[in-house]
């Protein structure tokens, strides 16, 4: 996507900054913590058995919270962008936002993985990724979030298709309350030791379909929509929902933190993680309310922030598998692990810039033109005005 010489003053530049920082802490988490402690040894295997960076576990264990930050941002941005779009315009915007980046990044990851893990199953994982099939293992574990995004986009698409976008606030409350009820019930069943309920909830928690309809993560998308609604309409009608959903979000974060502690044999609290997430919500709100202040910055700074926001998605898709393999190569060639870590992080950022600024834009244009041609052909075939 081309960055114009003058950044649109309505563009919420703080979102780009937060999105980029969220991607960086996710990368920092995977390299600084999960690389050495992954119980399935997936990233450790592709990185040539490298044992990680135990010296920085205390400073990287919380980085996974960047994903929950992404979900809140997604709720806010999608509500903001869909409010004046037709259902077809929304569909096209989501396809060109996701598909070209996935096609490019999955292909890069495929190249790296073939060096350590070739075979038919790898091709299947690649095909699942590029065709957005949300079931079964994909080419990189990070792709698990695409299913949640697609589930959320599908719901917004249906609101637009039936011309019911005005229902979006009530819709956000509904999906938020369903998700919050799941996490409150999970917590209370464990607290009161209700074994049958715990077993049912654990089964729901392990089903991919429930994740795709946002039972697990609907809280975060809902908060994003409510932030947009609050900025647009003001007042206090959202206050109670923010309180309920923020509490449920913290419960989800605590549950995830405990699960990761079990997997990694660690004992970290979730206070810092919850704090980062709550801070991100406040930052989104203030970024939107004070956006005019951000736009007093020099245009080169604004363009750099906008570019950083566009780089976020390729950073997220490339860093885990391709980056771990690259780090393993560097260390196997005799490079020191800290130097390899630094070079790998810089390389991921540089490649992500190339993907976002050089490789994606042509695919954006081709994909958009193809979708509009398909729509026009459909209209001619069925004589639709």
């Amino acid at each position: 996507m081309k960055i114009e010489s003058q950044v649109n003053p309505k563009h919420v530049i703080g979102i780009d900054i937060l999105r980029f920082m969220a991607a960086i802490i996710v990368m920092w988490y995977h390299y600084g913590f999960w690389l050495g402690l992954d119980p399935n040894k997936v990233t450790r295997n592709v990185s040539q058995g490298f044992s990680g960076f135990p010296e920085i576990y205390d400073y990287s264990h919380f980085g996974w919270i960047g994903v929950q930050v992404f979900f809140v941002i997604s709720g806010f941005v999608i509500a903001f962008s869909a409010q004046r779009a037709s259902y077809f315009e929304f569909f096209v915007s989501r396809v060109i936002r996701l598909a070209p980046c996935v096609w490019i990044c999955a292909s890069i990851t495929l190249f790296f993985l073939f060096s350590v893990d070739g075979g038919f199953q790898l091709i299947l994982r690649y095909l699942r990724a590029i065709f957005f099939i949300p079931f079964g293992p994909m080419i990189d574990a990070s792709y698990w979030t695409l299913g949640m995004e697609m589930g959320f986009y599908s719901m917004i698409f249906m609101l637009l298709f039936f011309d019911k976008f005005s229902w979006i606030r009530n819709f956000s409350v509904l999906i938020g309350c369903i998700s919050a009820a799941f996490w409150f019930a999970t917590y209370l069943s464990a607290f009161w030791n209700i074994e049958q309920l715990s077993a049912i909830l654990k089964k729901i928690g392990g089903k991919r379909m429930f994740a795709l309809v946002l039972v697990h993560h609907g809280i975060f998308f809902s908060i994003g929509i409510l932030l947009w609604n609050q900025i647009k309409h003001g007042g206090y009608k959202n206050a109670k929902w923010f309180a309920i959903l923020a509490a449920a979000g913290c419960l989800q974060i605590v549950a995830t933190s405990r699960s990761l502690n079990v997997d990694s044999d660690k004992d970290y609290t979730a206070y810092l993680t919850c704090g980062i997430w709550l801070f991100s919500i406040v930052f989104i709100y203030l970024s939107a309310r004070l956006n005019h202040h951000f736009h007093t910055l020099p245009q080169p700074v604004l363009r750099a922030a906008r570019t950083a926001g566009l780089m976020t998605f390729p950073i997220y898709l490339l860093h885990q598998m391709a980056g771990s393999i690259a780090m393993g190569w560097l260390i196997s060639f005799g490079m020191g692990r800290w130097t390899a870590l630094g070079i790998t992080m810089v390389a991921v950022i540089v490649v992500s810039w190339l993907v976002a600024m050089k490789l994606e834009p042509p695919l954006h244009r081709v994909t958009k033109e193809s979708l509009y041609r398909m729509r026009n052909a459909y209209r001619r075939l069925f004589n639709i005005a």
Side-chain angles (χ1 to χ4, degrees):
M1 184 180 293
K2 182 180 178 181
I3 303 296
E4 301 296 335
S5 59
Q6 297 290 320
V7 176
N8 187 335
K10 293 184 179 180
H11 181 79
V12 185
I13 208 71
I15 298 294
D16 288 318
I17 297 169
L18 180 63
R19 183 187 278 134
F20 181 75
M21 295 307 300
I24 294 300
I25 67 169
V26 170
M27 179 166 59
W28 180 243
Y29 162 75
H30 279 132
Y31 292 163
F33 185 80
W34 201 240
L35 183 64
L37 295 172
D38 178 4
N40 297 317
K41 299 183 180 179
V42 175
T43 50
R44 199 184 313 175
N45 288 342
V46 299
S47 62
Q48 314 296 319
F50 175 52
S51 60
F53 300 89
E55 300 93 333
I56 57 173
Y57 288 168
D58 291 348
Y59 311 105
S60 58
H61 68 90
F62 54 83
W64 57 269
I65 194 60
V67 172
Q68 279 79 351
V69 175
F70 288 147
F71 289 155
V72 176
I73 291 173
S74 184
F76 178 86
V77 170
I78 293 306
F80 185 85
S81 62
Q83 58 184 321
R84 294 184 180 88
S86 69
Y87 67 87
F88 184 75
E89 290 169 340
F90 176 77
F91 170 76
V92 170
S93 71
R94 291 304 91 201
V95 171
I96 64 175
R97 178 68 185 96
L98 294 185
C101 187
V102 168
W103 296 336
I104 295 166
C105 293
S107 298
I108 293 172
T109 301
L110 178 68
F111 169 79
F112 277 87
L113 279 172
F114 256 121
S115 70
V116 295
D117 186 29
F120 181 67
Q121 288 301 316
L122 178 58
I123 297 298
L124 286 181
R125 296 202 299 270
Y126 172 72
L127 292 175
R128 288 191 193 103
I130 64 172
F131 289 110
F132 291 84
I133 300 171
F135 298 97
M138 293 191 185
I139 198 162
D140 188 311
S142 295
Y143 283 61
W144 74 269
T145 61
L146 294 184
M148 265 55 71
E149 294 285 353
M150 290 166 57
F152 176 59
Y153 296 164
S154 298
M155 294 175 186
I156 300 299
F157 175 85
M158 295 306 294
L159 289 179
L160 293 170
F161 183 83
F162 290 107
D163 197 23
K164 297 298 182 182
F165 186 77
S166 60
W167 292 5
I168 191 168
R169 178 183 176 274
N170 292 337
F171 160 77
S172 70
V173 170
L174 176 63
I175 63 170
C177 285
I178 292 172
S179 183
F182 172 78
W183 290 108
F184 280 127
T186 298
Y187 175 80
L188 292 174
S189 65
F191 182 79
W192 286 323
N193 197 26
I194 306 175
E195 293 183 1
Q196 288 185 324
L197 179 59
S198 293
I200 294 172
L201 293 171
K202 187 175 181 180
K203 189 173 182 179
I204 292 174
K207 294 292 185 180
R208 178 66 168 167
M209 183 56 70
F210 286 104
L212 295 178
V213 296
L214 306 185
V215 171
H216 303 162
H217 298 92
I219 308 161
F220 306 106
F221 294 99
S222 178
I223 287 176
I225 294 174
L226 289 177
L227 282 171
W228 166 82
N229 183 268
Q230 183 66 32
I231 291 163
K232 187 176 178 66
H233 298 291
Y236 298 96
K237 64 180 181 180
N238 293 320
K240 64 181 178 182
W241 299 118
F242 278 128
I244 292 170
L245 296 177
C250 287
L251 288 181
Q252 193 277 341
I253 292 166
V254 169
T256 303
S257 181
R258 289 176 176 173
S259 177
L260 291 172
N261 279 339
V262 170
D263 290 341
S264 60
D265 194 26
K266 297 294 180 182
D267 189 27
Y268 291 110
T269 70
Y271 292 122
L272 176 59
T273 319
C274 285
I276 293 171
W277 177 68
L278 292 171
F279 171 81
S280 74
I281 295 173
V282 175
F283 186 83
I284 292 170
Y285 178 77
L286 292 177
S287 294
R289 289 300 300 268
L290 305 175
N291 192 41
H292 58 288
H293 291 297
F294 280 93
H295 282 271
T296 62
L297 295 169
Q299 282 297 319
V301 175
L302 296 177
R303 289 195 295 272
R306 185 73 184 102
T307 300
L310 294 173
M311 291 164 55
T312 295
F313 195 30
I315 288 173
Y316 179 74
L317 294 181
L318 286 172
H319 78 276
Q320 190 167 2
M321 285 297 175
S324 296
I325 293 169
M327 193 187 307
W329 285 349
L330 293 174
I331 293 171
S332 68
F333 294 153
M335 184 176 290
R337 60 195 178 107
W338 293 102
T339 304
L341 172 63
I343 290 176
T344 300
M345 294 186 70
V346 170
V348 168
I349 292 171
V350 171
V351 173
S352 296
W353 180 86
L354 290 171
V355 170
M357 306 310 295
K358 301 299 180 181
L359 301 180
E360 281 190 70
L363 273 177
H364 286 164
R365 290 192 294 271
V366 171
T367 304
K368 185 175 182 178
E369 290 168 0
S370 299
L371 290 172
Y372 274 95
R373 282 199 297 268
M374 291 169 62
R375 184 192 65 167
N376 293 337
Y378 172 82
R379 285 179 167 179
R380 288 193 298 269
L381 180 63
F382 293 97
N383 197 27
I384 299 173

